[in-house]
Amino acid sequence: PSPAQVFAGRAPVKPHAKPGQVAKLGPSRPRVEDVGEHVAQKWILTRGRDNIRDLLPGPILPTVIDTELLIEAEKELGHSLRPYPEARVWLRDGFWARVYREFDLGVGVSSK
C-alpha cells in the first residue's frame, strides 16, 4: 500500500511542546508603546509638570519611576512584562516619547 492509503482516514497529528516548555509570545510593540505613553500622561497629570526635572535628562528612568511604570503597564495590559525584556524597552520608549513630546524635547530612545 502507498503512504496515502496507510494514513488515509487518520487525523493529522499536531506537534506538541515538550512538558514544561512554554512559547514566549509577548505583546506587540505598538500596544506596549501606547501603554507607555498612557502611563506617562498619567504621570504628568498626577505629578505635575514641575516634577519633570526628576526624569531629565533621560532616557534612563530613576528606578522608583521605572518600577511604577512597569507595574502600571502590567495592570493596564493584564499580564506581566517581566519575561519580555524587549517589551520593557518598548514601554520605556513609549513613556519617553510622550514626555519628550509634552515638553517639546524631541524623541528619546531608552538605553536600558
Side-chain angles (χ1 to χ4, degrees):
S2 72
Q5 292 169 328
V6 170
F7 294 104
R10 289 189 186 180
V13 177
K14 295 180 182 177
H16 296 291
K18 293 179 183 176
Q21 192 177 34
V22 178
K24 289 189 177 183
L25 297 176
S28 72
R29 182 179 185 136
R31 173 73 176 124
V32 173
E33 286 178 344
D34 286 347
V35 169
E37 288 198 34
H38 179 74
V39 173
Q41 182 61 34
K42 285 180 11 182
W43 192 92
I44 292 165
L45 291 173
T46 59
R47 300 285 172 83
R49 296 172 65 92
D50 294 338
N51 288 319
I52 194 63
R53 71 181 138 266
D54 293 344
L55 302 179
L56 296 176
I60 297 175
L61 288 169
T63 304
V64 172
I65 296 171
D66 192 57
T67 301
E68 274 181 48
L69 171 62
L70 182 61
I71 290 168
E72 285 299 311
E74 288 175 338
K75 283 181 196 173
E76 203 162 306
L77 290 166
H79 57 84
S80 177
L81 291 179
R82 292 158 207 256
Y84 311 105
E86 71 284 352
R88 293 192 309 265
V89 171
W90 304 335
L91 182 65
R92 292 179 193 111
D93 289 346
F95 184 93
W96 281 113
R98 181 67 188 102
V99 168
Y100 283 19
R101 201 169 52 250
E102 178 75 18
F103 297 97
D104 199 27
L105 300 171
V107 177
V109 176
S110 176
S111 63
K112 202 170 185 183

